[in-house]
Amino acid sequence: MADNRTMAQLLEAPTEGYKDAIVVPEITANNFEIKHGLLNLVQNKQFFGHDKEDPHAHIRYFNKITSTMKFPNVPSTSVKLMLFPFSLEGAARIWLEKEPPRSILTWDDLVSKFINKFFPPSKTTNLRNEITRFQQKFNETFYEAWDRFNDLLRGCLHHGFSELHYIL
């Protein structure tokens, strides 16, 4: 089979392969539209992917924002999948753009990949070790130490320790 394209056609940049990683299910509702105000709320507190940022807190905040709007005959997970890229910037946006096309099919897929990227197992291990080795500082009141300890626990909600374990 001969290729009958001209040299100019052969040198043209490809126009395929620009599919997004996130697959948003088809929305069949009439007159569905994301309002500008909701988009602004999502973009108001973007996640950049810096080491000190908490991806769990970002998901909680994103869920809180998206739960404020209900669209008739539109699943909330579809709205979340549609809006989530707008909540990312910098390294986090680059991460999403590098994900394989059509590789994220559900909200749970997205949350799992996002958390695994920005809260890797090594970070969990480090925080678990800090929790395990926690000690009150010499010049610290009990209340200050307890508050600092609770901050560590909140920083790693999936630490796996029972309440009894960290009281002892």
Side-chain angles (χ1 to χ4, degrees):
M1 179 188 271
D3 189 350
N4 294 327
R5 292 182 290 171
T6 65
M7 185 58 75
Q9 289 171 327
L10 288 170
L11 294 174
E12 285 179 357
T15 57
E16 299 104 25
Y18 294 104
K19 298 267 188 219
D20 289 329
I22 299 173
V23 177
V24 179
E26 185 178 342
I27 296 172
T28 58
N30 293 331
N31 300 323
F32 170 73
E33 175 185 348
I34 299 285
K35 299 291 182 198
H36 190 67
L38 181 58
L39 198 55
N40 281 341
L41 277 174
V42 168
Q43 290 179 316
N44 204 24
K45 192 170 181 180
Q46 292 179 309
F47 185 86
F48 287 81
H50 298 149
D51 288 342
K52 296 294 181 190
E53 284 182 296
D54 182 355
H56 296 97
H58 182 71
I59 294 293
R60 283 191 303 276
Y61 180 76
F62 183 82
N63 280 333
K64 190 178 294 184
I65 287 173
T66 55
S67 71
T68 64
M69 302 289 270
K70 299 288 183 214
F71 300 96
N73 303 318
V74 178
S76 63
T77 55
S78 295
V79 174
K80 288 178 182 184
L81 288 168
M82 193 178 297
L83 284 173
F84 193 75
F86 295 100
S87 76
L88 305 178
E89 198 50 71
R93 180 176 291 267
I94 291 168
W95 159 77
L96 184 58
E97 289 170 356
K98 287 183 177 181
E99 283 294 298
R102 305 182 60 78
S103 62
I104 299 172
L105 305 176
T106 67
W107 174 244
D108 289 340
D109 285 347
L110 179 56
V111 170
S112 176
K113 287 185 177 193
F114 178 74
I115 296 296
N116 283 328
K117 171 63 180 173
F118 295 104
F119 206 98
S122 60
K123 192 169 184 177
T124 299
T125 301
N126 289 340
L127 284 171
R128 282 178 54 101
N129 288 341
E130 277 188 62
I131 291 167
T132 303
R133 293 188 310 254
F134 182 83
Q135 289 185 343
Q136 183 177 355
K137 294 178 182 174
F138 179 73
N139 61 346
E140 188 175 45
T141 67
F142 177 77
Y143 177 78
E144 291 169 336
W146 184 248
D147 198 37
R148 191 167 53 85
F149 180 70
N150 281 310
D151 286 344
L152 283 174
L153 294 175
R154 278 189 296 276
C156 186
L157 294 174
H158 56 288
H159 52 70
F161 297 124
S162 69
E163 202 171 310
L164 180 63
H165 181 93
Y166 55 76
I167 289 177
L168 298 176

